[in-house]
Amino acid sequence: DQQVKQNSPSLSVQEGRISILNCDYTNSMFDYFLWYKKYPAEGPTFLISISSIKDKNEDGRFTVFLNKSAKHLSLHIVPSQPGDSAVYFCAASAEKETSGSRLTFGEGTQLTVNP
Amino acid sequence: DTAVSQTPKYLVTQMGNDKSIKCEQNLGHDTMYWYKQDSKKFLKIMFSYNNKELIINETVPNRFSPKSPDKAHLNLHINSLELGDSAVYFCASSQWTRPYEQYFGPGTRLTVT
């Protein structure tokens, strides 16, 4: 029972264009959502997050959109750079459960940005 | 000055053996975690400790026993290793007040033969 799903295992974009990574969730108790980025042979690193009370959060080139009615979130990277090539994990948490420390991860999307 | 470190990075062992993976963080965090990334690449939480107290214990075989001697360390001991235990194990840490921003170690690739 995978509660967080990333249906695209891979995405390839051209440098300078927009990358859009998608994530769907099924648990309506989730109220906080995050994106992590992972390079090979390293652990995931926190990228950006959004609370369920918001529908958009922006940090530099990265923007996360949340559509609660569709139980869908997306990460936009504009402009994409070759250094953004990595696996991106979507994660979700229900704050009322263990104060939010239990993260449920999706299976990841491999982003490749071509020069 | 690695923030979250794990040892060893690679571990190859035979079925039935007992092994340990060590984790240390120098970020001053009070919460630490163990995750397992299986062959399908899902990252699943196994355990979480806050100030040396167990707060998350997912459905994990009791062959897995975490130990937190202090806030900066969370070790994972695995008894009677099985083939299905082969995976990458990640340690992570966070501040209790900011649980979502978890800092991960580089992972330990465990191979059971």
Side-chain angles (χ1 to χ4, degrees), chain A:
Chain A
D1 176 28
Q2 193 58 22
Q3 299 181 60
V4 177
K5 297 178 185 178
Q6 295 174 253
N7 291 319
S8 298
S10 63
L11 174 67
S12 183
V13 300
Q14 209 60 31
E15 181 178 5
R17 307 293 286 267
I18 184 171
S19 296
I20 300 177
L21 297 102
N22 294 302
C23 177
D24 297 294
Y25 62 95
T26 57
N27 188 341
S28 56
M29 297 299 291
F30 287 148
D31 53 11
Y32 206 86
F33 304 89
L34 309 93
W35 287 93
Y36 278 77
K37 173 179 175 180
K38 184 183 180 305
Y39 293 116
E42 294 183 11
T45 55
F46 170 75
L47 189 58
I48 192 170
S49 63
I50 187 167
S51 165
S52 60
I53 62 173
K54 295 185 176 181
D55 54 19
K56 177 182 174 182
N57 187 27
E58 193 172 347
D59 183 2
R61 297 186 296 112
F62 302 90
T63 303
V64 56
F65 295 91
L66 176 62
N67 182 334
K68 283 186 302 234
S69 60
K71 293 191 174 68
H72 177 84
L73 64 155
S74 61
L75 174 68
H76 292 211
I77 307 173
V78 182
S80 301
Q81 299 173 354
D84 296 330
S85 297
V87 176
Y88 288 78
F89 289 97
C90 171
S93 175
E95 189 169 13
K96 291 182 176 56
E97 182 180 299
T98 62
S99 299
S101 58
R102 178 186 276 111
L103 297 182
T104 300
F105 283 84
E107 60 269 57
T109 296
Q110 171 70 56
L111 172 66
T112 303
V113 180
N114 301 303

Side-chain angles (χ1 to χ4, degrees), chain B residues 4 23 31-35 74 90-94 102-105:
Chain B
V4 182
C23 177
T31 307
M32 296 186 72
Y33 312 80
W34 276 109
Y35 285 85
L74 180 62
F90 288 98
C91 176
S93 71
S94 73
Q102 298 182 12
Y103 291 75
F104 284 78

Side-chain angles (χ1 to χ4, degrees), chain B residues 6-77:
Chain B
Q6 295 178 229
T7 52
K9 196 167 175 65
Y10 299 96
L11 185 53
V12 181
T13 188
Q14 291 185 326
M15 283 176 55
N17 285 347
D18 303 338
K19 290 292 178 186
S20 292
I21 306 172
K22 295 186 176 181
C23 177
E24 177 180 2
Q25 55 94 4
N26 62 7
L27 297 167
H29 290 162
D30 52 13
T31 307
M32 296 186 72
Y33 312 80
W34 276 109
Y35 285 85
K36 178 181 180 181
Q37 186 179 33
D38 60 24
S39 56
K40 294 183 180 177
K41 305 300 182 186
F42 288 109
L43 265 166
K44 294 184 179 176
I45 191 163
M46 300 172 69
F47 303 102
S48 173
Y49 272 73
N50 174 251
N51 282 321
K52 302 195 299 175
E53 184 181 337
L54 182 67
I55 55 170
I56 295 176
N57 185 352
E58 288 298 286
T59 309
V60 176
N62 56 17
R63 298 182 293 104
F64 290 78
S65 54
K67 284 188 172 51
S68 181
D70 54 57
K71 284 197 308 183
H73 296 85
L74 180 62
N75 303 322
L76 183 66
H77 188 76

Side-chain angles (χ1 to χ4, degrees), chain B residues 95-108:
Chain B
Q95 272 301 115
W96 180 252
T97 51
R98 296 178 69 85
Y100 315 110
E101 292 184 29
Q102 298 182 12
Y103 291 75
F104 284 78
T108 295

